Amino acid sequence: QVQLVESGGGLVQAGGSLRLSCGASGRTFSSLTMGWFRQPPGKEREFVGGFSWSGGNTYYAESVKGRFTISRDNAKNTVYLQMNSLKPEDTAVYYCAAKTGYSVWSDYTYWGQGTQVTVSS
């Protein structure tokens, strides 16, 4: 079992920045792949970015590449999503997710509760 808790969501103006945190617990994480997803209002959930904890590569959706950065704090079992140059279309509920496989793109099995990010114009 893996428990994921997101925090850091809120309201920010377009062009601003926000950092989301995802604290993980329940097991060791060296074998996990972690990802961030988001679900805009009225739309389907979409992949934002992700990485394998034991690997060195981080992958991003094209829509956020160059603006969002995923980082990690191994000692705290925490993953961060730094969001810069935010746009109104970034408004969504953001979810932290995990899986035991190595593909960052799909098939996540553990999910956080989500945190709301609202970007005003």
Side-chain angles (χ1 to χ4, degrees), residues 27-33 52-55 72 74 77 100 102:
R27 57 169 289 172
T28 58
F29 306 103
S30 61
S31 64
L32 291 179
T33 291
S52 294
W53 209 282
S54 62
R72 71 190 82 171
N74 292 335
N77 290 331
T100 57
Y102 292 99

Side-chain angles (χ1 to χ4, degrees), residues 44-87:
E44 298 296 322
R45 186 171 57 198
E46 63 185 10
F47 175 77
V48 173
F51 67 94
S52 294
W53 209 282
S54 62
N57 295 328
T58 304
Y59 303 90
Y60 299 95
E62 193 66 29
S63 59
V64 306
K65 193 176 299 182
R67 300 188 297 120
F68 291 11
T69 303
I70 296 173
S71 60
R72 71 190 82 171
D73 186 330
N74 292 335
K76 296 180 179 180
N77 290 331
T78 300
V79 60
Y80 304 96
L81 179 65
Q82 178 66 48
M83 304 183 292
N84 298 325
S85 300
L86 283 162
K87 306 173 181 179

